[in-house]
Amino acid sequence: MAQQNLVSLFLIAAILLCCQAHASDVCDKAEYVDLCKSVVKGATDPKAAIKTSLEFLLSETQRLKASSEKFKNSQFIDVCTENYDSAIDDLNNSLKNLQSNDIASLQITLSGSLSFYETCNDAVAEGGKGVVKVASKLVKKDNKLKHIAANALHFATLLK
């Protein structure tokens, strides 16, 4: 009886370890592994991971856009607001491309959103120390979104 329980326990442990390893596979080679795991929350395939990432990016980009709009009279941060609008458009198009299995277009629109986050960072940096200091939280969140978008691009390379 004890031997049978031990075998059962071993089989359960093996199944659990197998499933945990499979669930983490989607993030194993992502550029930002910890961030990947926190965003995709157990997604086991690239398509689900991209969808979760895109939905997260859309929500957070809309919040970041609203935050950027609170800065008055800053042409540098206005660039961020405009770029967040463009990123939102690209993220919505990315969801459509994912749904229609248009991988090439998905990669293009994901790359576009990534570049919009980078453009915001560049614009803030061009504003000098004063703008960088005022917009430090914005830049920090922007960088996080840029990293999530990079991970989503990684997932797109895993699609078949």
Side-chain angles (χ1 to χ4, degrees):
M1 181 74 164
Q3 188 176 13
Q4 197 173 23
N5 287 340
L6 185 59
V7 170
S8 295
L9 182 62
F10 175 75
L11 288 173
I12 291 170
I15 290 169
L16 288 173
L17 287 174
C18 169
C19 293
Q20 285 178 341
H22 182 66
S24 67
D25 286 349
V26 77
C27 290
D28 284 346
K29 298 201 184 212
E31 191 170 351
Y32 305 96
V33 174
D34 292 337
L35 185 58
C36 176
K37 290 178 181 179
S38 72
V39 171
V40 302
K41 295 181 171 84
T44 58
D45 67 76
K47 191 168 187 172
I50 292 173
K51 185 174 188 283
T52 301
S53 297
L54 288 172
E55 290 168 348
F56 182 87
L57 284 165
L58 266 169
S59 172
E60 292 302 307
T61 303
Q62 289 166 343
R63 285 184 189 171
L64 203 52
K65 179 185 171 221
S67 293
S68 71
E69 289 171 337
K70 293 177 184 173
F71 292 93
K72 303 291 182 201
N73 302 321
S74 175
Q75 66 185 16
F76 302 102
I77 298 175
D78 286 347
V79 169
C80 292
T81 304
E82 292 169 17
N83 277 276
Y84 293 145
D85 264 338
S86 297
I88 289 166
D89 289 342
D90 271 0
L91 293 168
N92 280 317
N93 286 330
S94 292
L95 279 170
K96 290 174 188 170
N97 294 330
L98 178 65
Q99 190 173 30
S100 66
N101 266 347
D102 185 349
I103 307 305
S105 295
L106 171 65
Q107 290 175 330
I108 290 167
T109 53
L110 272 171
S111 293
S113 65
L114 182 69
S115 69
F116 291 123
Y117 298 125
E118 188 62 39
T119 301
C120 172
N121 286 341
D122 292 345
V124 169
E126 286 177 22
K129 290 181 184 179
V131 174
V132 170
K133 184 176 179 181
V134 168
S136 64
K137 288 182 183 178
L138 183 83
V139 169
K140 184 177 179 180
K141 290 178 183 177
D142 186 86
N143 280 326
K144 180 180 178 182
L145 297 182
K146 183 173 68 170
H147 295 167
I148 294 168
N151 282 343
L153 265 171
H154 162 70
F155 304 143
T157 67
L158 302 175
L159 293 174
K160 296 176 184 182

